[in-house]
Amino acid sequence: NRAATTSELANAFELNDDNIISKFVFRSTDLLSLYNEIEVEYPSVNQRDQTDVYHANVDVSLLNPNEPVNTLKYRLPHVNDRTRVSYLANVDLNQCRLNTVLEVTTDHSGMQVDTGEVVKVTNSLYGYTDRLFRVMRATEVEDSEGVLSVKLLLLEYDEDVYGDLLTQED
């Protein structure tokens, strides 16, 4: 989960009306489900792998009116470096606030797309021309006639998510 390189963006798989065989299903995060704080437990290398907690929150100027405090809590048992924990936590916090989630089904050509890759979506109805999305899940589906398709769950790609632009850490 990192910013894509220029080469990866230039060579991204293109999804368009020729290979998308379903409607576009958009998902957005409702106000009560937006995370604005994050708390991550991890075994700290500086404390002989004893549990430490990383905490960060969204700058108050970026909160929506009447947005309740909603903390995302999880554990990273295999990461013991605070810098990496901070990076991963901030990416999670920024992505859940900024990005649109799109679900589409493609024909068999979508089988070459792997989870984690960035793809380009073009659709005139929604005004998308090479809009970038990261593949979060790719599921092969076989219909009753044996025809294969691929259901993709896509997260809008924004390279700004990979910085500490929205959060302040403890």
Side-chain angles (χ1 to χ4, degrees), residues 4-80:
T5 65
T6 305
S7 174
E8 289 171 332
L9 295 176
N11 297 315
F13 184 78
E14 296 184 27
L15 295 169
N16 54 40
D17 294 336
D18 295 335
N19 55 14
I20 296 174
I21 59 173
S22 70
K23 63 183 178 178
F24 280 46
V25 177
F26 292 96
R27 297 182 186 170
S28 61
T29 308
D30 63 73
L31 183 61
L32 298 176
S33 297
L34 279 176
Y35 292 112
N36 44 35
E37 292 184 349
I38 195 160
E39 189 175 294
V40 183
E41 291 182 356
Y42 66 100
S44 176
V45 69
N46 296 327
Q47 298 176 6
R48 295 185 180 160
D49 288 336
Q50 296 299 310
T51 299
D52 197 358
V53 178
Y54 173 81
H55 180 80
N57 61 317
V58 172
D59 188 286
V60 293
S61 66
L62 299 171
L63 296 176
N64 294 307
N66 300 321
E67 183 177 335
V69 174
N70 193 5
T71 305
L72 174 61
K73 296 180 181 183
Y74 61 90
R75 180 168 175 74
L76 292 173
H78 303 292
V79 180
N80 65 358

Side-chain angles (χ1 to χ4, degrees), residues 90-104:
N90 283 306
V91 167
D92 285 343
L93 191 58
N94 292 337
Q95 277 183 335
C96 80
R97 294 193 64 83
L98 294 178
N99 301 124
T100 301
V101 177
L102 172 63
E103 192 173 308
V104 296

